[in-house]
Amino acid sequence: MLIIGITGGIGSGKTTVCKVFELLGVPVFYADEVAKSLMFSDPTLKSEIIKTFGKESYNETGELNRSYISSIVFNDQLKLEKLNSLVHPAVFRAFDSWVINQNKPSYVIKEAALLFESDAYKKCDKSILVISPLETRIKRVIARDGSSKAEVQSRINRQFTDEQKMKFADYILNNDEKELLIPQIIQLNQQFLRIGS
Ligand code: ATP
């Protein structure tokens, strides 16, 4: 069984691509979603976060105090790295047990925004980078989240550029709304089914 990592900048369409893979029957692990839920549900991770960032990290109902954590890590690279060093191992553990529970597919997909930045790609057999023009990405995220252009741009600035990511990627999916996306996905699916079986 192959492990395929998928990534792409904010608004590139990586989740959209993963939904199509799911329609084709491919199991997809959404690492960023899992990370968010583990910060709520994993007692070890929770106590590590409290130990590192203080009791204010969680509110009375036990939910992560996102605005507090964001305010700490947003402008402090070392604190962000510290948070990631707590969360990433928990996500790897969750991924490993998720994989065991799959019914022997030819391949599975792990979607992660920071696949290359976090070195998670090293545990994947192949990686896919979804690319879209910067202006298209910004337009999509504004429409989806109601964020301002400056907010989107500042999140983009904190990730590798597409040029940097391309050096790591085995496959590129072009989601520029000109080239058809689904045929590109079907072609990769056929390839992975071949290699993975
Ligand atoms: P993020 O990193 O912010 O979670 P993402 O890379 O996962 O973003 P998506 O959520 O898949 O991106 O897509 C962003 C928005 O753009 C969504 O609202 C999605 O429906 C839309 N979108 C993605 N691809 C296309 C496309 N080819 N045509 C039209 N809309 C698209």
Side-chain angles (χ1 to χ4, degrees):
M1 187 196 74
L2 295 175
I3 297 174
I4 309 293
I6 290 196
T7 193
I10 295 157
S12 58
K14 56 192 169 302
T15 305
T16 305
V17 166
C18 287
K19 297 291 174 201
V20 179
F21 275 109
E22 281 194 278
L23 287 174
L24 296 171
V26 183
V28 179
F29 180 89
Y30 293 92
D32 304 319
E33 289 303 314
V34 171
K36 277 185 205 155
S37 75
L38 287 175
M39 284 193 263
F40 175 68
S41 64
D42 183 323
T44 313
L45 177 59
K46 241 172 141 167
S47 73
E48 285 171 340
I49 291 175
I50 291 170
K51 207 160 80 191
T52 311
F53 298 106
K55 280 209 301 280
E56 308 91 309
S57 306
Y58 287 87
N59 60 30
E60 280 127 36
T61 53
E63 278 164 289
L64 187 73
N65 184 347
R66 287 190 190 284
S67 53
Y68 171 76
I69 295 286
S70 303
S71 70
I72 293 177
V73 301
F74 200 78
N75 291 311
D76 188 330
Q77 187 61 25
L78 283 178
K79 295 243 167 66
L80 178 63
E81 280 167 20
K82 180 67 197 170
L83 179 64
N84 285 338
S85 76
L86 302 177
V87 175
H88 288 157
V91 176
F92 280 121
R93 288 194 297 275
F95 178 74
D96 289 344
S97 39
W98 176 85
V99 164
I100 289 167
N101 285 317
Q102 302 308 311
N103 195 15
K104 297 191 172 54
S106 300
Y107 73 101
V108 297
I109 287 179
K110 183 179 197 178
E111 188 225 47
L114 301 179
L115 189 77
F116 299 133
E117 291 89 334
S118 72
D119 278 356
Y121 76 97
K122 289 182 181 163
K123 291 194 173 186
C124 297
D125 297 295
K126 298 284 178 196
S127 62
I128 301 171
L129 173 65
V130 182
I131 57 165
S132 303
L134 202 59
E135 282 310 313
T136 308
R137 290 167 50 199
I138 293 171
K139 183 195 74 186
R140 286 178 186 156
V141 178
I142 291 173
R144 188 193 59 191
D145 301 342
S147 320
S148 70
K149 187 171 179 177
E151 278 165 356
V152 184
Q153 189 66 61
S154 122
R155 285 169 59 201
I156 286 173
N157 292 346
R158 289 152 52 83
Q159 298 187 336
F160 282 179
T161 62
D162 277 354
E163 288 65 35
Q164 287 170 305
K165 287 177 182 161
M166 276 178 193
K167 293 188 188 127
F168 297 93
D170 295 300
Y171 305 94
I172 308 275
L173 280 177
N174 181 12
N175 184 24
D176 64 359
E177 299 178 28
K178 293 191 183 89
E179 187 176 347
L180 289 176
L181 182 62
I182 291 176
Q184 298 177 62
I185 298 172
I186 288 172
Q187 198 193 4
L188 279 185
N189 177 55
Q190 285 166 346
Q191 208 167 325
F192 296 145
L193 288 175
R194 244 193 339 266
I195 312 172
S197 56

